[in-house]
Amino acid sequence: MAACGAALLLSGCAGSPGHEAADGPAGTSQNVETAEPAELRAPKPRLTYSYAGGIGVLDAGTLEHVADVELDGYNRISPAGDGRHVLVAADDSFRVLDAGVWTDRHGDHGHSYAVRPTLTDYAFEASKPGHVVRHAGRTVLFSDGSGKVESFESATLNELSADGLPETVTYTAPEAHHGVAVELEDGKLLVTVGDEDARNAVALLRETTDSGRREAGPDRKEILRSQNCPGVHGEAVAGEGTVIFGCEDGMLVFKDGRFSKIFSPDAYGRIGNQAGSPASPVVLGDYKVDKDAVLERPTRISLVNTETKAMKLVDLGTSYSFRSLGRGPAGEALVLGTDGALHVLNPVTGAAVSTIPVVAAWQEPEAWQDPRPTLYVVGFTAYVTEPATRKLHAVDLKTGKTVRTAMVAHTPDELTGVTG
């Protein structure tokens, strides 16, 4: 599949029939013009943040403003997995945003120029678009409204052309639910099982074909199932290929072709948000114990060792939110507390390594859609938003110091990025 030409990249690739942007308020968009493309020596990593009415794009190194993309509605953003694009869950699709990290070559001397960030016309149709998971070179999309699971080879998103989106493999769960799916290196699929009222299981489905999985082939057949994960929510990958799912009573682990369970010490000890690291067998999770709470503001986090099957609870002395969890380059557990500090923990022992002041003290808002300080980590840099002041901070994890702060044009909500 041929890549978009330079002219199309600068203006937005034309979508093919069946992949056009959604109509209606959440599908209304406008790309705000920026300066003329500048010549570059190498790709420029970008940060993207959502705000009420659009998406902002920043230079990840300098935190300088690059572009704004207007998009009405409540939009959620995730890296697509190819180092270039961001998937925007908006209305009834996952829309494709080119973050402008790559360069185009022109002329006899191959000069390289920055590509303007653009919300393309490409979109993966989805009813209530939900989780985006990247693993083993595959990107998997889950539609909560239909139970459709759609996966593609992450790198092929760079091959966008007039022919349309990359070829995908689809599977539809028996019943729609707020779910998640992970495609494994061998092509098998882990997918949550549930309905609108309850989610209690994870199933392992067989691979589709042996030749690149580009064709759907026969329907996926269920190989294995665990019913031992009430309220299943979220996923993460630890170390070399161990996949976990959060439960209301602990964590479900899939490793070496089988499921196992690591129980919470409390009858109701919910782990609904997790952060894994390829450098560590330990998964960082939140930890909640009040089943009836409208909003619980926990001070304890969970550290689950997928090798020893042990769960360690650590009281930070401060609360945090579901956007507070991250991992450092060596697997360090990072938690952004409501005390305004970034807490760095040894993932095995739970001991505090350092506490880095970053933002002013804050309180988690009652509505989960409302902006709150958010953590996003790339290598040795932890990026932290501060919605109350419209600031973005870059923290050097090697020195434990905030090395750069920038005022952004809008109140930031979600934060993510692409590496180029």
Side-chain angles (χ1 to χ4, degrees), residues 19-37:
H19 295 293
E20 295 181 357
D23 295 328
T28 303
S29 66
Q30 176 183 350
N31 295 298
V32 178
E33 292 298 319
T34 57
E36 287 300 313

Side-chain angles (χ1 to χ4, degrees), residues 176-189:
H177 62 283
H178 177 54
V180 66
V182 184
E183 189 163 344
L184 305 177
E185 192 170 2
D186 61 6
K188 295 183 178 66
L189 186 74

Side-chain angles (χ1 to χ4, degrees), residues 299-320:
T299 60
R300 290 186 295 175
I301 53 94
S302 58
L303 295 169
V304 182
N305 193 317
T306 61
E307 289 184 347
T308 65
K309 302 296 188 293
M311 180 185 300
K312 183 181 294 292
L313 301 180
V314 179
D315 197 323
L316 299 174
T318 182
S319 62
Y320 56 92

Side-chain angles (χ1 to χ4, degrees), residues 101-289:
V101 299
W102 281 19
T103 57
D104 278 330
R105 295 188 177 277
H106 299 281
D108 296 336
H109 301 289
H111 295 294
S112 296
Y113 295 90
V115 175
R116 180 176 295 121
T118 304
L119 185 65
T120 73
D121 289 332
Y122 291 103
F124 297 90
E125 295 177 356
S127 173
K128 297 181 181 177
H131 282 275
V132 177
V133 175
R134 300 155 300 280
H135 178 60
R138 304 282 293 183
T139 301
V140 183
L141 316 176
F142 197 99
S143 298
D144 292 348
S146 65
K148 182 176 73 171
V149 178
E150 191 167 16
S151 71
F152 58 92
E153 185 179 343
S154 304
T156 59
L157 199 59
N158 282 318
E159 300 172 2
L160 288 172
S161 73
D163 294 331
L165 291 164
E167 296 179 71
T168 64
V169 175
T170 61
Y171 163 80
T172 302
E175 295 190 66
H177 62 283
H178 177 54
V180 66
V182 184
E183 189 163 344
L184 305 177
E185 192 170 2
D186 61 6
K188 295 183 178 66
L189 186 74
L190 288 167
V191 60
T192 54
V193 181
D195 55 33
E196 291 183 356
D197 299 320
R199 308 181 304 274
N200 298 309
V202 178
L204 175 68
L205 310 181
R206 74 179 181 185
E207 62 275 21
T208 52
T209 68
D210 294 328
S211 57
R213 292 171 267 155
R214 287 297 189 93
E215 298 178 3
D219 292 338
R220 289 187 185 267
K221 180 181 178 181
E222 186 172 317
I223 301 171
L224 188 64
R225 177 185 292 208
S226 172
Q227 299 277 163
N228 200 12
C229 192
V232 57
H233 185 272
E235 55 70 41
V237 178
E240 297 182 1
T242 300
V243 182
I244 66 89
F245 298 86
C247 316
E248 291 179 349
D249 60 355
M251 191 172 283
L252 186 66
V253 179
F254 181 82
K255 183 178 181 180
D256 298 329
R258 64 186 183 89
F259 290 106
S260 61
K261 182 66 176 284
I262 302 174
F263 285 95
S264 299
D266 300 282
Y268 182 87
R270 182 179 187 270
I271 302 173
N273 299 279
Q274 315 84 13
S277 168
S280 174
V282 178
V283 176
L284 166 66
D286 57 2
Y287 193 75
K288 296 184 176 182
V289 296

